[in-house]
Amino acid sequence: MSDTKNMTLSSRILIAMLSGAVLGFLINEFGSGVAWINGYITEGLFEVVGKIFIASLKMLVVPLVFVSLVCGVSSLQDSTKLGTMGLKTILLYLFTTGIAVALAIIAAILVGPGEGANFPTQDYTAKDAPPLINTIINIVPSNPINAMAEGKMLQVIVFAVLFGLAITQAGEKGQKIAQFFQNINEVIMKMVTIIMKLAPYGVFALIAQLMATLGVESIKPLIKYFLVVVFVLLLHGSATYTLLLKFVAKLNPLIFLKKMRAVQLFAFSTASSGATIPVTMETVTKRLGVKNSVASFTVPLGATINMDGTAIMQGVATVFIAQVYGIPLGLTEYLVVILTAVLASVGTAAVPGVGLITLAMVLQQVGLPVQGIALIIGVDRLLDMVRTAVNVTGDATVSCIIAKNEGDFNMDTFNDPKAGLLFEEVNLPDGETAKS
Ligand code: ASP
């Protein structure tokens, strides 16, 4: 029997997740009225461990994105390549999100999750969705330090790209700086490795707390809506990406999905594609074979603007709310929903729950009552986890396609099951373990 030391990171996370879910469920069923359990365990231990875990992931995001992007851009031989690569990446991200929301609308129309439902009308005050125009204007940071301090990813990306380009043009001095950044990059990657080792504990606490506070009851009235969203998420996560990988990138989707397991589990437990960036980056470069010059650009950009899972929830939610309120939508409205959901996905911050805020924007565009959001809020936390796993899978899929297309892809790494077995221990024949 293998002990926990010999398990891969993803297996350990999975076990932590399941045991967290079971414990949380038991607390919800039998211990939710007990003051000390609530005070010391659910709102105490679980809260502290979970929050520390998320904070330690987020701590790495800005330095990691900045440093690896500077390394990536400064290693590009040809700076025009960056422009074409950037355009292709953005178009592909928008395209996959468009497919995602179209699938969501079709499924919701076919199943009709809100038809015949008799929900009490509830009040919901929508928070203001960030206007898209602001996202575009704010792309250039007036103060890069402030952008880093506030974790504004698009601004950090713009500054890093410019910095990297300048390095390539600064001759010998630039080369010294490039070398300096490559060294820091190594150190930051080691920090990622250290934090990842603690992941199972963090994941356990996050899931246990969620289940202890949520319980299963909240899903029941919305089961049809919940299942349609999950179905489309799984469909898009398996079929769309599989087809793109197989026919556009000519890569084996099964190998891809297997290697993406740890990233998906991280995204699922943190419900934040932003916090998952360090894991996505490691996996995409070291396990899947995307060169850093591509991944350092596509991964953080994807985490910021590409939210296929979020768009799916918004597509199903719009049709669901229209059905509950008995407001018919026509073809034009559906097209507007597709367009706005794609734009909303660009404007959705990569943190938990923001998809629900930008949903207000989609509803308003087609004249649906924003307070309809109150109907689905109860199950949104769980859906957020699944859709974030889809969001990060989309980021990695597009990264592979672009890298393959640009000739910046290492097929040997992709095909090697052990390549970059990051943070995971590999069994040696004599039973010892070696860190890869
Ligand atoms: N939690 C999602 C993400 O970080 C965003 C959302 O749908 O709320 O990718």
Side-chain angles (χ1 to χ4, degrees):
M1 254 186 73
S2 66
D3 58 46
T4 49
K5 271 198 159 172
N6 292 345
M7 275 181 203
T8 60
L9 179 76
S10 23
S11 313
R12 267 182 272 160
I13 295 184
L14 203 59
I15 290 174
M17 213 157 160
L18 293 177
S19 26
V22 172
L23 181 64
F25 175 76
L26 291 176
I27 290 181
N28 186 276
E29 285 287 304
F30 307 107
S32 53
V34 186
W36 71 267
I37 293 189
N38 284 339
Y40 291 110
I41 310 280
T42 313
E43 300 302 327
L45 187 70
F46 293 162
E47 171 96 5
V48 172
V49 177
K51 286 252 164 76
I52 289 182
F53 171 59
I54 301 249
S56 48
L57 276 173
K58 284 192 182 160
M59 166 180 81
L60 298 174
V61 173
V62 171
L64 176 77
V65 169
F66 180 66
V67 172
S68 70
L69 197 48
V70 169
C71 289
V73 175
S74 61
S75 69
L76 285 179
Q77 308 296 330
D78 171 11
S79 60
T80 51
K81 184 175 167 170
L82 189 70
T84 43
M85 183 175 88
L87 193 67
K88 274 192 238 167
T89 309
I90 292 171
L91 289 179
L92 201 50
Y93 276 144
L94 297 181
F95 173 72
T96 53
T97 312
I99 304 248
V101 60
L103 282 177
I105 291 177
I106 293 171
I109 292 174
L110 290 178
V111 179
E115 263 155 23
N118 189 14
F119 287 100
T121 30
Q122 306 185 34
D123 277 344
Y124 178 81
T125 328
K127 294 199 194 109
D128 284 340
L132 189 70
I133 188 99
N134 282 3
T135 313
I136 296 167
I137 295 172
N138 289 337
I139 220 165
V140 179
S142 54
N143 179 345
I145 305 295
N146 192 38
M148 289 183 196
E150 290 185 4
K152 293 189 172 150
M153 287 329 286
L154 285 180
Q155 297 193 347
V156 174
I157 290 174
V158 167
F159 184 67
V161 167
L162 201 61
F163 195 86
L165 280 177
I167 285 180
T168 59
Q169 297 177 12
E172 206 185 306
K173 289 190 173 130
Q175 282 318 303
K176 281 190 189 145
I177 298 288
Q179 186 58 48
F180 172 71
F181 269 89
Q182 265 148 26
N183 294 343
I184 305 194
N185 202 23
E186 282 297 311
V187 176
I188 291 181
M189 284 303 191
K190 284 282 171 265
M191 288 178 78
V192 176
T193 311
I194 297 169
I195 302 290
M196 293 309 134
K197 292 226 164 93
L198 303 173
Y201 305 100
V203 167
F204 174 83
L206 285 175
I207 302 287
Q209 194 195 24
L210 184 76
M211 289 304 287
T213 41
L214 209 64
V216 190
E217 285 305 303
S218 55
I219 304 178
K220 277 190 191 155
L222 288 162
I223 195 78
K224 246 177 149 183
Y225 163 77
F226 184 86
L227 290 179
V228 176
V229 179
V230 171
F231 169 76
V232 185
L233 286 171
L234 294 179
L235 181 72
H236 187 68
S238 48
T240 312
Y241 298 146
T242 297
L243 292 175
L244 284 172
L245 285 165
K246 196 159 174 48
F247 295 108
V248 183
K250 310 256 183 299
L251 292 171
N252 183 337
L254 291 179
I255 299 183
F256 171 87
L257 284 175
K258 201 157 175 245
K259 292 190 171 189
M260 279 298 289
R261 214 170 57 159
V263 184
Q264 291 167 335
L265 291 175
F266 260 86
F268 183 85
S269 357
T270 59
S272 164
S273 26
T276 311
I277 288 176
V279 196
T280 318
M281 196 82 126
E282 278 264 353
T283 302
V284 163
T285 51
K286 302 218 169 116
R287 301 220 63 201
L288 293 172
V290 176
K291 293 221 174 114
N292 185 49
S293 53
V294 173
S296 62
F297 176 73
T298 53
V299 169
L301 186 71
T304 317
I305 69 163
N306 182 51
M307 311 256 169
D308 295 1
T310 305
I312 287 172
M313 175 279 285
Q314 294 180 338
V316 178
T318 309
V319 177
F320 173 77
I321 290 169
Q323 287 168 348
V324 171
Y325 282 86
I327 303 170
L329 297 179
L331 188 62
T332 326
E333 278 92 358
Y334 289 128
L335 291 176
V336 172
V337 172
I338 295 182
L339 191 70
T340 357
V342 171
L343 296 178
S345 135
V346 176
T348 302
V351 289
V354 184
L356 212 55
I357 297 173
T358 44
L359 174 62
M361 178 173 127
V362 182
L363 295 176
Q364 272 160 0
Q365 288 303 316
V366 283
L368 287 174
V370 170
Q371 61 268 31
I373 294 179
L375 299 174
I376 53 170
I377 226 165
V379 286
D380 197 66
R381 186 66 180 86
L382 282 178
L383 289 177
D384 196 3
M385 298 160 87
V386 191
R387 70 178 179 247
T388 308
V390 172
N391 288 347
V392 295
T393 310
D395 302 341
T397 304
V398 170
S399 300
C400 286
I401 295 174
I402 297 291
K404 197 75 197 310
N405 185 268
E406 294 284 321
D408 285 326
F409 193 83
N410 189 331
M411 251 348 250
D412 292 340
T413 307
F414 183 82
N415 286 326
D416 178 2
K418 291 213 167 107
L421 259 180
L422 43 136
F423 349 110
E424 307 191 356
E425 283 118 46
V426 185
N427 278 326
L428 293 179
D430 60 2
E432 281 178 33
T433 56
K435 317 265 186 316
S436 58

